Amino acid sequence: SQTIHQWPATLVQPVGSPLSLECTVEGTSNPNLYWYRQAAGRGLQLLFYSIGIDQISSEVPQNLSASRPQDRQFILSSKKLLLSDSGFYLCAWNTGFDQPQHFGDGTRLSIL
Amino acid sequence: DAKTTQPPSMDCAEGRAANLPCNHSTISGNEYVYWYRQIHSQGPQYIIHGLKNNETNEMASLIITEDRKSSTLILPHATLRDTAVYYCIVYNLLPFSGNTGKLIFGQGTTLQVKP
């Protein structure tokens, strides 16, 4: 069966520090991968999606970037974190746009 | 922007059926209705989806009205573990339509299952 892993589960970082969040999917090949952010009390916002290795699309301009160095690995990064980057970051996958997305357990990021 | 309207909260007694309504009056012919739920501090969990016909799986049933302007998610025997925020989402699956696969989550319905 397919599984999705995100780490770390929680992270506290100072303003201006770099960020790297990792997501991996097991049990499937060539998945679509997604990064969402959920700010406190708000809905999920799609940040990036990828349909293949090194193929990244950005949904909103921001302080973050994404990379997909391997088929089942999706990384969310920042060179310098802002206070506004705080939130709950979720990775998701599916096997095509016509299939349900399945989410990981998320990373709760706090910026101090 | 979310294209659905849901009540902000509902209560349900444990063991009873939970019926969660959703209005999507502007839904178009190629848009599906998806339901997810999110238990506090976890990622959203996929429940069920449908286009025109009613659907049932091991988690729930989805009833879509004939005009497709509204739907109801039914949890047949709610348990305390079903307490969560339930999201109804309309989703365009047309390929090559510029669809990014973006799920647009609204505020959802907070379902509280009570003993």
Side-chain angles (χ1 to χ4, degrees), chain A residues 34 36 38 41-44 46 49 59 88 90 94 96-106 108, chain B residues 34 36 38 40-46 49 87 91-93 98-107:
Chain A
Y34 306 82
Y36 287 83
Q38 186 173 33
R42 304 187 69 178
L44 274 72
L46 180 65
Y49 71 96
E59 277 293 292
F88 190 39
L90 290 152
N94 62 8
F97 288 143
D98 62 339
Q99 297 298 314
Q101 292 180 30
H102 299 280
F103 288 79
D105 287 333
R108 194 161 301 280
Chain B
Y34 270 71
Y36 280 78
Q38 188 173 22
H40 183 62
S41 297
Q42 297 182 19
Q45 178 188 24
Y46 165 75
H49 73 281
Y87 297 99
Y91 183 64
N92 189 332
L93 292 181
N99 176 32
T100 62
K102 175 166 55 181
L103 290 173
I104 302 176
F105 287 74
Q107 295 304 306

Side-chain angles (χ1 to χ4, degrees), chain A residues 10-29:
Chain A
T10 59
L11 188 61
V12 180
Q13 293 284 97
V15 170
S17 63
L19 173 73
S20 180
L21 302 181
E22 189 161 342
C23 170
T24 60
V25 179
E26 297 178 357
T28 188
S29 296

Side-chain angles (χ1 to χ4, degrees), chain A residues 44-86:
Chain A
L44 274 72
Q45 179 186 37
L46 180 65
L47 302 176
F48 301 94
Y49 71 96
S50 170
I51 62 172
I53 294 175
D54 295 329
Q55 300 180 67
I56 310 295
S57 296
S58 175
E59 277 293 292
V60 293
Q62 57 205 308
N63 183 42
L64 303 168
S65 62
S67 61
R68 186 171 176 175
Q70 300 180 45
D71 181 45
R72 291 169 290 173
Q73 182 185 33
F74 206 22
I75 297 172
L76 184 69
S77 303
S78 174
K79 293 183 179 178
K80 283 187 177 183
L81 285 168
L82 306 172
L83 283 174
S84 58
D85 292 324
S86 292

Side-chain angles (χ1 to χ4, degrees), chain B:
Chain B
D1 295 326
K3 299 170 67 174
T4 62
T5 303
Q6 299 177 253
S9 64
M10 292 181 63
D11 290 341
C12 178
E14 188 178 19
R16 303 297 293 269
N19 297 281
L20 291 91
C22 179
N23 287 325
H24 30 79
S25 58
T26 60
I27 194 170
S28 61
N30 52 31
E31 290 182 320
Y32 282 67
V33 179
Y34 270 71
W35 283 84
Y36 280 78
R37 72 181 181 183
Q38 188 173 22
I39 297 170
H40 183 62
S41 297
Q42 297 182 19
Q45 178 188 24
Y46 165 75
I47 301 174
I48 199 167
H49 73 281
L51 182 64
K52 295 181 181 178
N53 299 322
N54 298 337
E55 302 288 344
T56 295
N57 63 19
E58 65 279 4
M59 289 183 68
S61 295
L62 174 61
I63 308 299
I64 303 174
T65 58
E66 192 169 345
D67 64 7
R68 302 210 322 123
K69 293 185 176 182
S70 65
S71 60
T72 300
L73 178 74
I74 301 173
L75 307 178
H77 305 286
T79 71
L80 298 178
R81 289 180 294 179
D82 292 322
T83 293
V85 180
Y86 286 77
Y87 297 99
C88 171
I89 302 165
V90 293
Y91 183 64
N92 189 332
L93 292 181
L94 270 184
F96 312 114
S97 65
N99 176 32
T100 62
K102 175 166 55 181
L103 290 173
I104 302 176
F105 287 74
Q107 295 304 306
T109 295
T110 299
L111 175 68
Q112 182 74 46
V113 180
K114 298 184 175 181

